[in-house]
Amino acid sequence: MPTALVTGATAGIGRAYSRRLAAEGHDMVLVARDAERLEELADRLQTRHNVRVEVLAADLSDAAQRAAVAKRLADPAKPVDVLINNAGFGTNGAFWDLTPDVLQRQLDVNVAAVLELTHAAVGAMRERGRGDVVNVASVAGFFTVSGSTYAATKAYVIALSEGLATSLTGTGVRVMALCPGFTQTEFHERAGLEMSKLPRAFWLQADQVVHESLADLRAGKPVSVPGAQYKALVAVGRLLPKKLQRMVVTRTVPGRT
């Protein structure tokens, strides 16, 4: 059986990926901070889908714990065929009001972990001549969002993934940036963002995001933007001058910091 490793596996998009890939017959390596929730999900997947599930409790803001996950990805005796870099977090507050420690932890999880784990996975996958990496970014990564370090981290993930997708052409290894819009998960609540005023039409479901992203990955696309509304937003946004783009985002996007 192929094996998939998912970070941030216990909630939201990561949990949806874990359910979907296990249902497709992948053995799973589940990575998250909460050991109890990891065990609960592992038991559920093993019982429902008859797959092997390994749990790896790790805080990806910690260098040593990131290294442990990277070591698991690079282990030739237990190859990982699919990596889903899903772990990440946002913040609520202006850049100057947030502490350097919080900003550094966000950078470590949203950027350093994606870089380190992708590097470990791609090295092993190139040697085998096959493998898939999905780096979860955000529609926010396409826009200059006022004061948003989150958007800045996701812009990095998009650029890294697109560049790797191009350079790995013909190797059998695929890398894709997933760029969802607002998705019904725990993400916004954890970040302390007030989202009650966002129109219902802008909300996506995690299962929908995963379904569309896997179809795009298997079609060889370097970037996936689930949902017709967000495809249109990104397409139009790329045509707008930066000054106008900043004005529109600042006035219309809730929780933009």
Side-chain angles (χ1 to χ4, degrees):
M1 283 187 179
T3 298
L5 187 149
V6 182
T7 69
T10 56
I13 292 172
R15 191 177 182 93
Y17 266 119
S18 299
R19 292 196 308 262
R20 172 64 180 269
L21 293 171
E24 291 184 355
H26 291 76
D27 289 334
M28 302 299 300
V29 183
L30 307 178
V31 180
R33 291 179 299 168
D34 191 324
E36 185 175 342
R37 294 182 74 177
L38 280 173
E39 293 292 349
E40 177 271 327
L41 179 58
D43 289 343
R44 183 184 295 265
L45 297 180
Q46 288 172 147
T47 300
R48 182 168 297 181
H49 303 296
N50 194 32
V51 295
R52 291 179 295 182
V53 182
E54 176 184 345
V55 299
L56 185 54
D59 181 347
L60 297 179
S61 69
D62 181 86
Q65 295 181 59
R66 284 198 307 273
V69 180
K71 182 178 180 180
R72 174 63 184 85
L73 283 163
D75 187 348
K78 296 187 290 184
V80 172
D81 304 278
V82 180
L83 167 63
I84 309 293
N85 268 319
N86 168 72
F89 73 90
T91 55
N92 182 24
F95 174 81
W96 45 86
D97 291 330
L98 297 168
T99 67
D101 177 65
V102 168
L103 295 173
Q104 185 62 54
R105 285 194 293 112
Q106 183 183 59
L107 193 67
D108 289 338
V109 175
N110 293 10
V111 173
V114 171
L115 173 65
E116 190 169 343
L117 301 189
T118 299
H119 186 272
V122 165
M125 290 173 178
R126 283 185 71 251
E127 291 184 2
R128 297 194 303 273
R130 66 184 186 281
D132 293 324
V133 177
V134 176
N135 291 326
V136 180
S138 171
V139 162
F142 292 110
F143 300 98
T144 304
V145 182
S146 176
S148 176
T149 53
Y150 177 79
T153 65
K154 295 307 183 179
Y156 173 89
V157 172
I158 295 169
L160 173 69
S161 301
E162 284 193 283
L164 287 174
T166 299
S167 61
L168 289 166
T169 299
T171 66
V173 180
R174 299 179 292 199
V175 176
M176 185 184 78
L178 166 60
C179 304
F182 295 107
T183 306
Q184 293 281 8
T185 68
E186 301 173 9
F187 175 86
H188 300 97
E189 181 180 352
R190 288 181 174 180
L193 299 173
E194 171 53 51
M195 305 300 299
S196 62
K197 294 182 180 179
L198 184 72
R200 182 177 298 180
F202 281 95
W203 285 110
L204 302 174
Q205 300 300 315
D207 287 335
Q208 171 195 357
V209 169
V210 168
H211 177 77
E212 292 192 33
S213 72
L214 289 176
D216 287 342
L217 174 70
R218 291 159 184 171
K221 295 182 180 181
V223 176
S224 175
V225 181
Q229 66 274 53
Y230 288 109
K231 287 181 173 66
L233 178 65
V234 170
V236 171
R238 284 174 160 173
L239 299 176
L240 294 177
K242 284 288 186 180
K243 184 176 181 180
L244 179 58
Q245 184 188 108
R246 288 194 294 270
M247 184 185 303
V248 171
V249 170
T250 299
R251 292 183 177 181
T252 61
V253 179
R256 61 186 178 273
T257 57

